[in-house]
Amino acid sequence: MANFKQAQFFLCYLLILLPSLVRGGCTCEPEDEDRNKPLALKYKMAAIASILVAGAIGVCFPLLGKTVEALRPEKNVFFMIKAFAAGVILSTGFIHVLPDATESLTSPCLNENPWGKFPFAGLMAMASAIATLMVDMFATSHYAKSHLNKTQQDEEKTYENDGNLVHVHTHATHGHAHGSSEVLRHRVVSQVLELGIVVHSVIIGISLGASESPKTIKPLVAALTFHQFFEGMGLGGCISQAKFKSRSVAIMALFFSLTTPVGIAIGIGISNIYNESSPTALIVEGMLDAASAGILIYMALVDLLAADFMNPKLQNSGKLQAAAVFALLLGSGLMSLLAVWA
């Protein structure tokens, strides 16, 4: 009877401790399962090549509007491409980046106080979205004011040269000012969007490069290849509307294409000393991921979807509205599906 009571006591004690044992089972040491450094390195080299090519193709595809008539910003096909790309970016923020940030910042490897008692990922994403709004507002306001001052100076010069031309020139200038303000707006959008994408791309590149498990890397290669292609389409659409000079377009496209491969290369270089389960790595990655999520979600909803879906051209065409909604759902759905593998 005494032995039975002791057994009961031990069982109850075990059940009480089981949750903490399971939690403690989430080791904070690097995982040793399936480590094969030579094979993993081959997969990483393949990842660098495929992601680089896919990103370059994706970002350059919408830029073909200068040579392909159907891909010009004023065409219906371009609206569908932008809607598809916005769905991809929105899904990236909600389905890929924000959950990763939450997982990092609620890891059992971090102290329960404060990381387990407050949703820091959500706070950082919200702060990042607000900061993006501030940058968006002040940058657009600054460019608009500087352009307005330049326009007024041009009007004064025209008046001094020939007063009879003032009325005609003023109307032309206002039309030009409106077009220029839209271009400046697209330039701000494209640069802020690239910032959000680049932060996330470098992080996932480092994570892949630091891993030495072929089983982990293999599915990520295909998933991240499509990931970069779709994100590149979204960024390329914004860049094409911004009407940058050819040199600036080339720099932005190259910068986007290289971010994840460079991140992988960095990961390979630090794989011997990098511990993704260390508190410092978890906090830094979690905060940067959350900030990136806030930027991407804001840009997708405000600067891409709201701007295009409220466009008079789309508002006046039921067929174009239906096509844009379908493209949006398709883009967000396909990108969400990739979360199964990455």
Side-chain angles (χ1 to χ4, degrees):
M1 187 70 178
N3 290 335
F4 179 73
K5 286 185 177 180
Q6 288 178 352
Q8 279 186 317
F9 177 79
F10 178 77
L11 182 61
C12 291
Y13 186 73
L14 183 63
L15 288 174
I16 292 171
L17 286 182
L18 187 60
S20 60
L21 290 173
V22 171
R23 186 179 177 86
C26 299
T27 177
C28 297
E29 297 300 319
E31 295 181 1
D32 292 324
E33 58 187 41
D34 290 322
R35 285 200 171 193
N36 186 335
K37 202 166 184 178
L39 183 59
L41 186 60
K42 290 181 180 178
Y43 283 134
K44 291 173 190 177
M45 293 297 106
I48 289 175
S50 63
I51 291 172
L52 178 63
V53 172
I57 293 173
V59 75
C60 290
F61 181 72
L63 299 175
L64 295 175
K66 292 182 179 179
T67 55
V68 181
E69 181 75 19
L71 295 178
R72 290 186 178 178
E74 65 272 11
K75 299 296 181 180
N76 292 347
V77 174
F78 190 80
F79 275 92
M80 295 176 63
I81 292 174
K82 284 282 297 293
F84 178 88
V88 168
I89 293 169
L90 187 64
S91 176
T92 300
F94 275 119
I95 307 298
H96 292 263
V97 189
L98 191 55
D100 285 350
T102 303
E103 183 180 0
S104 295
L105 295 177
T106 56
S107 169
C109 301
L110 298 178
N111 291 330
E112 178 68 20
N113 186 18
W115 301 104
K117 295 185 176 181
F118 189 83
F120 283 98
L123 176 67
M124 190 64 180
M126 179 182 70
S128 174
I130 294 173
T132 306
L133 170 65
M134 298 295 105
V135 171
D136 207 358
M137 178 181 69
F138 288 125
T140 304
S141 174
H142 171 73
Y143 284 131
K145 286 178 180 178
S146 61
H147 183 76
L148 180 61
N149 291 336
K150 185 179 178 181
T151 302
Q152 289 175 343
Q153 290 174 2
D154 290 341
E155 287 181 355
E156 289 174 1
K157 288 179 181 179
T158 303
Y159 179 76
E160 290 173 1
N161 292 333
D162 190 348
N164 295 326
L165 295 177
V166 170
H167 182 72
V168 177
H169 178 76
T170 300
H171 279 289
T173 305
H174 285 319
H176 176 67
H178 178 70
S180 298
S181 64
E182 284 190 351
V183 171
L184 291 172
R185 174 81 182 136
H186 288 309
R187 289 183 178 181
V188 173
V189 168
S190 60
Q191 290 169 344
V192 176
L193 178 60
E194 180 155 23
L195 174 64
I197 292 174
V198 161
V199 170
H200 173 58
S201 296
V202 171
I203 292 173
I204 59 176
I206 291 175
S207 298
L208 190 151
S211 176
E212 293 180 355
S213 170
K215 279 191 176 180
T216 302
I217 297 171
K218 194 173 180 179
L220 283 176
V221 175
L224 292 180
T225 298
F226 284 105
H227 185 282
Q228 288 299 103
F229 175 76
F230 290 147
E231 278 193 342
M233 286 183 64
L235 180 61
C238 291
I239 293 173
S240 67
Q241 286 184 301
K243 297 180 181 178
F244 287 108
K245 294 180 180 179
S246 298
R247 183 180 177 183
S248 299
V249 170
I251 291 173
M252 292 184 73
L254 183 64
F255 190 59
F256 166 78
S257 303
L258 289 175
T259 48
T260 302
V262 167
I264 296 173
I266 294 172
I268 294 172
I270 64 174
S271 59
N272 291 328
I273 59 172
Y274 178 75
N275 178 9
E276 63 181 8
S277 298
S278 70
T280 302
L282 288 168
I283 292 170
V284 171
E285 284 186 17
M287 286 297 189
L288 289 176
D289 268 339
S292 177
I295 293 172
L296 294 178
I297 291 168
Y298 171 86
M299 298 302 293
L301 290 175
V302 178
D303 286 330
L304 298 179
L305 290 175
D308 285 346
F309 276 62
M310 295 300 132
N311 189 293
K313 183 175 181 179
L314 192 142
Q315 289 285 314
N316 295 328
S317 173
K319 289 183 179 180
L320 187 56
Q321 285 180 8
V325 169
F326 175 77
L328 169 63
L329 296 176
L330 182 63
S332 57
L334 289 176
M335 198 63 185
S336 299
L337 187 62
L338 286 179
V340 176
W341 300 279

